[in-house]
Amino acid sequence: MATTASVLASTVAATSSAALEDLRFSLTDYIVFALMLSASAGIGVYFGFFSKAKNTTEEYLQGGKRMPTLPVAISLVSSQLSGVAMMSVPSETYSFGFNMIFVVWAMVLAVPVLIYVIVPVFYENNVSNCYEYLEMRFSKRTRQLVTITFIMNQFLMLPVYMFVPALAFSQVTGYNIHLINTVISSICVFYTMLGGIKAVVWTDVVQGGVMLLSVILVAVLGTSNTGGLGNVLTNAAEGGRFDFNFGLDPRLRITFWGGICSGLLMWTGKLGLDQSCVQRIVSMPSYTHAKKCLLMAGVGFLLVMSFTCFAGIIMFAYYYGCDPVQAGLVSKADKLMPFFIQDIMGHLMGMPGVFISCVFSASLSSLSASLNSFAGVVYFDYIKPRINHTEARANGIMKMTIVVMGAYCILGGFMVQNFNSIIQTMWTITGINTGAVVGVFLLGMFVPRCNAKVAVTGIAFSVLGMLWIIINGQLNFKDGLIKYEPLPNGLDKCDAPQFQVILNAINSQNLTTTPLPSLEAPKPVTTAFGSDRDFSIYDISFYWYKVLGALLVFAWAIPMSYVWPTAKDEKQNPKLYSPFVRKLLNQPGPVLELEELPLKAPLPDEEEVKEKNNGTVRDA
């Protein structure tokens, strides 16, 4: 048995090595990739040294509030499509089906919420940093608590944004993944540090064009190589990838309701309540420009992300019955996309370079926007109050902050390489506090009776509650009580020689080593598509974490607003509420309780008569 196992291992290693040898970057691919990086760096140099703009913090962080609409819209789309999306979303639909599209389509609901509920409040209160709103509406302590969660998220997520494209590049070149991570992170830090928000936006425009070209090419060539759209749909349907789930059980990995609810909250929080995006939205000259920008960004996002989701379906149809993961050619599903690109595009000069440039473009846009906003938040919330502020000193400190965070991203790559599913890891990490942040903003805009004490304790309650749920959920994963096994694929339809060799080796291994039947009864388990366990909140899908976090804020805040009511003499600016809440209040100022109204007020005409009489007496 040991001999057979060693033969199988050596066969898999040899065939995998031979197959991967044909799937390497050519000189043309390297040139295409280098041109993309050079363009990004060149934009940073231009805005850092040659652009005729004032050296002020407003110019560095908001472009002097004169940013053009279309480039900012493209920048918003680019920054939402991180390398994680370009690599992990196709692998998600490949492994678990097309239900992921519901998360994407939730953007249709998110854009009106942003345009008519959230963004008007920022413009009417002249907010440049979205966390300023929390200080206006509640207190400085509320603002500080939320900025701490923002900083914590950036520390957790920035290394992931950069590591994933390095993973893709390593897959197709064979270079050390940490060396790639170091080089690319350094280039991103370079142009972000020099050029500020203008460099971020205009590099996003270049990178957004590369992304759109790439996803369309993948869809067209992948469909063609699979034998046409009919074959793609047939293979995907036979493989269960179009089995849409409309169930209400929150333990299922992703359903229609889970996708719509989590997508709505995520896009609302990311585009409208995260400083890296709000910073660009409020850089528009007016609210009208911001509305147009968000509409264009929503359409662009739906277009690109729908192609990205469908790329996973095309990839499954192409490898239907001949799974590269089971064959040993790819170690995990997150690495499938670059392998697929090399497989279908490797013979086309420069095309693999275009796609890997696409993955890097997506990550660079996310990383640069996050670094720029991170530097602004750290400076204005934590450094400026403690130093003698000058514009030159502020810009110098923010640039230094970006350099330090870039170095941290490089080191963080050593931790990220141990993650199994990148998309699951990201949603789980951000699930700790994203719901709380979105919840407290919505609380401020929708519930006038809530005060600072209620808001601060609501955030703490939500974060601690989600931390407890997530930790226990991860323990259930460790104990085997939750297992997200993908939908089945196989090796029974392999035609290529290297796949057939592996299939024969696996078959011979199965014939010679029949496993003994287990005497233990199988444990109840929660899977991606069902559960035979009693319901437990710790088993809920990670897609529900953000929604649950937001609900916990309201579950705490609404009853506690009656325990700790707002002081009767406390006046609140009605502009701090969402426009339609102001209409419901029907009050230009704070709502008066009945007991606060005077018992008898003189009529206006009586007052005018008294004033006229007094004036007549004085004249006499």
Side-chain angles (χ1 to χ4, degrees):
M1 178 165 37
T3 305
T4 308
S6 63
V7 169
L8 173 64
S10 61
T11 303
V12 170
T15 52
S16 298
S17 175
L20 289 176
E21 200 58 43
D22 296 329
L23 302 178
R24 295 297 189 204
F25 253 29
S26 66
L27 177 61
T28 308
D29 296 318
Y30 281 112
I31 292 172
V32 169
F33 184 67
L35 285 174
M36 188 276 294
L37 290 181
S38 300
S40 299
I43 291 170
V45 170
Y46 171 76
F47 284 110
F49 293 109
F50 302 106
S51 177
K52 296 178 181 178
K54 296 178 181 178
N55 187 26
T56 63
T57 53
E58 185 185 32
E59 187 69 33
Y60 190 74
L61 296 175
Q62 291 183 277
K65 293 185 78 71
R66 298 184 306 276
M67 296 300 293
T69 305
L70 181 59
V72 173
I74 296 173
S75 176
L76 288 172
V77 174
S78 299
S79 62
Q80 297 310 298
L81 303 175
S82 65
V84 175
M86 305 306 291
M87 291 271 287
S88 296
V89 169
S91 74
E92 177 77 3
T93 54
Y94 178 95
S95 301
F96 296 99
F98 205 45
N99 285 287
M100 183 71 188
I101 195 67
F102 298 131
V103 177
V104 176
W105 289 348
M107 181 63 81
V108 174
L109 301 176
V111 169
V113 171
L114 294 170
I115 290 175
Y116 297 109
V117 175
I118 294 172
V119 174
V121 178
F122 292 155
Y123 267 88
E124 289 174 10
N125 291 282
N126 196 28
V127 167
S128 59
N129 178 330
C130 64
Y131 307 119
E132 290 176 41
Y133 168 79
L134 294 177
E135 185 172 354
M136 295 176 184
R137 173 64 179 87
F138 294 118
S139 66
K140 189 171 185 178
R141 182 181 297 178
T142 312
R143 174 180 178 174
Q144 289 175 337
L145 186 58
V146 173
T147 54
I148 287 171
T149 67
F150 169 78
I151 290 170
M152 184 176 78
N153 258 0
Q154 299 307 309
F155 268 97
L156 292 171
M157 298 314 305
L158 289 180
V160 180
Y161 288 148
M162 202 60 255
F163 185 82
V164 170
L167 190 72
F169 196 83
S170 175
Q171 174 76 19
V172 297
T173 62
Y175 286 125
N176 181 277
I177 196 165
H178 299 294
L179 175 63
I180 300 165
N181 194 26
T182 300
V183 173
I184 308 303
S185 294
S186 300
I187 292 172
C188 183
V189 166
F190 172 74
Y191 74 74
T192 305
M193 177 192 68
L194 286 179
I197 191 66
K198 288 185 176 179
V200 170
V201 168
W202 286 105
T203 50
D204 284 353
V205 170
V206 173
Q207 292 158 0
V210 173
M211 275 188 273
L212 183 60
L213 173 65
S214 298
V215 294
I216 292 175
L217 278 174
V218 169
V220 171
L221 290 174
T223 302
S224 174
N225 288 357
T226 309
L229 185 60
N231 278 353
V232 170
L233 299 178
T234 300
N235 289 354
E238 287 179 4
R241 266 55 183 182
F242 286 142
D243 294 343
F244 295 113
N245 195 323
F246 293 90
L248 296 174
D249 189 344
R251 294 174 298 176
L252 305 184
R253 181 181 174 102
I254 184 166
T255 64
F256 170 81
W257 300 107
I260 290 292
C261 293
S262 61
L264 174 59
L265 192 134
M266 181 175 71
W267 303 131
T268 301
K270 183 61 181 170
L271 274 174
L273 301 171
D274 185 285
Q275 180 57 15
S276 62
C277 291
V278 173
Q279 181 176 331
R280 281 168 282 176
I281 293 172
V282 298
S283 69
M284 302 277 94
S286 69
Y287 171 59
T288 303
H289 289 84
K291 283 199 296 185
K292 292 178 182 176
C293 175
L294 286 167
L295 282 171
M296 288 189 283
V299 172
F301 176 86
L302 286 170
L303 177 67
V304 178
M305 274 302 289
S306 294
F307 271 112
T308 305
C309 277
F310 197 66
I313 298 298
I314 296 170
M315 192 161 59
F316 171 79
Y318 183 77
Y319 290 122
Y320 181 44
C322 197
D323 185 11
V325 178
Q326 291 185 44
L329 293 176
V330 179
S331 60
K332 55 184 179 180
D334 281 327
K335 291 184 176 183
L336 265 174
M337 196 62 179
F339 179 87
F340 176 61
I341 297 305
Q342 285 289 76
D343 201 355
I344 65 170
M345 290 185 181
H347 63 287
L348 299 174
M349 187 175 294
M351 285 300 103
V354 169
F355 178 76
I356 297 302
S357 296
C358 162
V359 175
F360 269 97
S361 295
S363 284
L364 288 174
S365 62
S366 297
L367 186 62
S368 61
S370 296
L371 285 173
N372 187 265
S373 59
F374 176 87
V377 168
V378 168
Y379 178 77
F380 282 101
D381 283 64
Y382 296 98
I383 298 176
K384 183 182 175 182
R386 294 171 175 81
I387 66 168
N388 181 22
H389 169 78
T390 64
E391 294 292 336
R393 181 176 293 177
N395 282 346
I397 291 173
M398 285 190 286
K399 290 175 180 178
M400 203 60 191
T401 303
I402 289 172
V403 172
V404 171
M405 277 303 291
Y408 164 76
C409 288
I410 295 169
L411 295 175
F414 289 92
M415 293 294 295
V416 180
Q417 68 178 339
N418 297 316
F419 296 162
N420 288 324
S421 169
I422 299 294
I423 197 167
Q424 182 174 339
T425 301
M426 281 189 63
W427 280 73
T428 302
I429 289 172
T430 55
I432 297 171
N433 59 9
T434 300
V437 172
V438 175
V440 77
F441 272 103
L442 297 180
L443 191 71
M445 294 181 183
F446 285 96
V447 188
R449 68 174 298 114
C450 287
N451 56 29
K453 191 173 184 180
V454 170
V456 169
T457 53
I459 295 169
F461 178 74
S462 175
V463 170
L464 292 175
M466 290 311 303
L467 197 59
W468 177 261
I469 290 169
I470 289 171
I471 288 173
N472 280 279
Q474 294 306 302
L475 291 175
N476 281 358
F477 270 104
K478 186 178 180 182
D479 294 339
L481 302 176
I482 305 175
K483 290 182 179 178
Y484 287 154
E485 296 294 337
L487 288 166
N489 198 355
L491 296 170
D492 56 307
K493 297 183 180 180
C494 290
D495 294 323
Q498 66 267 27
F499 287 106
Q500 192 62 51
V501 170
I502 296 174
L503 180 62
N504 292 339
I506 292 172
N507 287 338
S508 65
Q509 170 74 356
N510 290 338
L511 289 172
T512 55
T513 59
T514 305
L516 294 174
S518 173
L519 299 178
E520 295 182 8
K523 291 190 298 185
V525 66
T526 294
T527 70
F529 310 103
S531 178
D532 56 4
R533 283 166 44 81
D534 292 335
F535 182 82
S536 169
I537 192 70
Y538 306 134
D539 286 2
I540 67 167
S541 167
F542 58 90
Y543 281 104
W544 282 102
Y545 285 163
K546 294 179 176 68
V547 179
L548 184 57
L551 291 175
L552 286 177
V553 172
F554 280 85
W556 173 271
I558 299 300
M560 294 311 293
S561 67
Y562 291 90
V563 177
W564 298 318
T566 304
K568 291 183 178 181
D569 59 345
E570 183 178 335
K571 293 184 178 180
Q572 195 70 267
N573 181 358
K575 288 185 177 181
L576 294 173
Y577 306 132
S578 191
F580 90 93
V581 173
R582 280 178 247 158
K583 292 177 183 177
L584 291 177
L585 291 175
N586 199 24
Q587 291 279 349
V591 181
L592 295 174
E593 298 291 341
L594 186 61
E595 348 21 306
E596 296 179 84
L597 295 172
L599 293 176
K600 183 178 181 181
L603 296 173
D605 56 340
E606 292 178 344
E607 291 180 353
E608 290 175 10
V609 170
K610 287 181 181 179
E611 287 179 4
K612 288 178 181 178
N613 291 338
N614 290 337
T616 305
V617 171
R618 282 194 297 271
D619 292 340

